[in-house]
Amino acid sequence: MHGLIGRLRATPGNRDELAAILLDGIRGMPGCLSYVVAEDPNDADALWITEVWDNAASHEASLQLPAVREAIARARPLIAGFDSHVLTRPLGGHGLAQD
């Protein structure tokens, strides 16, 4: 499996709108096992995105899907920056199949 955890900052006051766009753009992503958008309780403009994919190629391919490209285009003006981005190798967990 392939995992990503990232913290991004919305432009001031736009976190809810950005979260809605990110959540709307995730339908029909082959290979996506989990995609979670969460508010940072300590920062009114920050979101945490946690993703689990069957492999890195599926994640890379998702960036070419029309719905994902459209979501990225809509979200871009609302993103102030990325604070952190970490690659992980998920071992399993609730809701994830273990090989």
Side-chain angles (χ1 to χ4, degrees):
M1 285 189 275
H2 175 73
L4 303 146
I5 301 171
R7 183 174 184 267
L8 62 90
R9 296 185 49 73
T11 53
N14 289 309
R15 180 173 75 178
D16 290 346
E17 184 179 357
L18 178 57
I21 291 169
L22 295 174
L23 289 167
D24 185 49
I26 61 174
R27 292 181 185 86
M29 296 191 302
C32 183
L33 305 176
S34 178
Y35 185 96
V36 177
V37 176
E39 294 178 342
D40 186 321
N42 298 311
D43 186 334
D45 293 320
L47 292 168
W48 287 94
I49 315 300
T50 306
E51 305 175 49
V52 178
W53 295 83
D54 58 358
N55 58 57
S58 291
H59 172 253
E60 192 64 33
S62 75
L63 300 175
Q64 300 308 312
L65 295 170
V68 172
R69 292 175 65 85
E70 191 264 333
I72 291 169
R74 287 177 41 217
R76 189 169 283 127
L78 302 175
I79 298 173
F82 293 87
D83 292 344
S84 63
H85 179 84
V86 179
L87 295 176
T88 66
R89 189 169 14 124
L91 300 175
H94 182 74
L96 297 178
Q98 294 180 348
D99 291 335

